[in-house]
Structures are given as C-alpha cells and as structure tokens.
Amino acid sequence: MTLNSWTEVAAEADLFEGAGFNVKPEGRDIALFKLEDGVFAIDNLCTHGNAQLCDGFMEGSHVECPFHQALFDVRDGSVQCGPATEPVKSWPVKVEGGKVYLDLTL
C-alpha cells in the first residue's frame, strides 16, 4: 500500500531492538532497525562485500557487517569502521498506526 510517497513495508510489531529486519519493497533490498529513538532504514547490502547487514551484530546504533566487521550507523548509513569506505544509503522512515512506511522516491 502506498500513502502519497510513503510505501508500507512492515508492521512495527515485527521489529525488535538489537536485530535487523529485511524488507524488499519495489525490488529494493533494505534493512530496518528499531532503536530506542525510532525506526531506521538503510540499504541491506554492505558496500565492502556481498553481505546482508540485517544479519549483522547490533551495538547501540551501529550494525557490524557479518563478513568483514565493517561498522555502519543505522541512523544515516555512515561508515564508522572499515574495511568499508562507502556509506550505505539511508531511507526516510515513518511509523503510523503500528505500520512502518518508507519514502522510496529519493
């Protein structure tokens, strides 16, 4: 379901702090992360290797790539620790009525 530019991707109840959740809206591979201060979305594929970040270890607002331990901030996709040098794309998130929406127009 699309609400203006927002696309429903998950139920908020499906998300748990400390664990990534993979969604594939419109053919994109995106990882959702629930933190104390909200839900965040980044591209699911590590920019260093072919690894899914939703499977990575979470520590605070950082997710560690399960292959080579590159560290990304799930709030904005920035690299916090190599070997990755390129950030992952982050996506605008909105939670309404227990549903998680992403703006995929960017």
Side-chain angles (χ1 to χ4, degrees), residues 47-99:
T47 57
H48 173 258
N50 191 24
Q52 291 195 319
L53 296 175
C54 68
D55 295 333
F57 174 75
M58 289 288 303
E59 185 172 337
S61 65
H62 300 141
V63 62
E64 182 179 81
C65 173
F67 282 5
H68 302 110
Q69 291 72 51
L71 203 60
F72 298 91
D73 190 322
V74 301
R75 294 176 184 173
D76 62 9
S78 62
V79 176
Q80 301 299 303
C81 180
T85 58
E86 295 293 320
V88 290
K89 179 172 180 46
S90 63
W91 298 92
V93 179
K94 174 169 73 171
V95 180
E96 275 185 3
K99 298 183 187 306

Side-chain angles (χ1 to χ4, degrees), residues 1-105:
M1 175 173 108
T2 300
L3 183 64
N4 297 325
S5 64
W6 296 95
T7 302
E8 181 181 332
V9 295
E12 186 178 17
D14 290 337
L15 307 178
F16 299 93
E17 284 189 50
F21 187 81
N22 184 227
V23 295
K24 295 187 183 268
E26 299 179 14
R28 293 176 171 92
D29 191 4
I30 297 175
L32 302 177
F33 297 92
K34 183 176 184 176
L35 303 178
E36 283 183 12
D37 58 343
V39 176
F40 298 88
I42 58 174
D43 278 352
N44 194 30
L45 193 63
C46 177
T47 57
H48 173 258
N50 191 24
Q52 291 195 319
L53 296 175
C54 68
D55 295 333
F57 174 75
M58 289 288 303
E59 185 172 337
S61 65
H62 300 141
V63 62
E64 182 179 81
C65 173
F67 282 5
H68 302 110
Q69 291 72 51
L71 203 60
F72 298 91
D73 190 322
V74 301
R75 294 176 184 173
D76 62 9
S78 62
V79 176
Q80 301 299 303
C81 180
T85 58
E86 295 293 320
V88 290
K89 179 172 180 46
S90 63
W91 298 92
V93 179
K94 174 169 73 171
V95 180
E96 275 185 3
K99 298 183 187 306
V100 179
Y101 299 87
L102 297 180
D103 183 349
L104 302 172
T105 61

